[in-house]
Structure formats: C-alpha cells, structure tokens
C-alpha cells in the first residue's frame, strides 16, 4: 500500500472568470457583502418565524 495520496489530489480550477481574467478584489468584496446581507436577512426571517 502506498503512502503517496497526493497523486489523486486535484485542486480544481483556479478562481478566474469565464473570460479567463482573474477575479478582482472589488468583485470579491462585493460578493462577500451581498453574501453577508443575505445571511442576515435569512437569520431575521428565522427569528421572526420562531418568535
């Protein structure tokens, strides 16, 4: 049995957009902001549902 488990490791595609350009920091910040806002909205809905 081999201890070389890294042969099957595939890190997947790099974080690039469909045009092949790297994702800008501004885009990542915008995505993080919307993701945080969506999470807050979901939490508020859950709190009101169980209140």
């Amino acid at each position: 049995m081999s201890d070389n488990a890294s042969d099957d490791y595939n890190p997947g595609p790099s974080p690039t957009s469909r045009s092949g350009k790297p994702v800008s920091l501004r885009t990542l910040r915008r995505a993080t902001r919307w993701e945080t806002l969506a999470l807050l909205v979901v939490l508020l809905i859950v709190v009101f549902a169980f209140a």
Side-chain angles (χ1 to χ4, degrees), residues 6-47:
S6 63
D7 289 342
D8 296 333
Y9 177 69
N10 185 6
S14 61
T16 56
S17 62
R18 292 185 183 192
S19 62
K21 296 178 183 175
V23 177
S24 70
L25 205 56
R26 187 187 314 173
T27 304
L28 288 176
R29 283 190 192 132
R30 189 182 307 143
T32 304
R33 183 175 63 221
W34 282 108
E35 192 173 291
T36 305
L37 182 63
L39 187 61
L40 285 172
V41 169
V42 168
L43 282 173
L44 281 173
I45 291 171
V46 168
V47 166

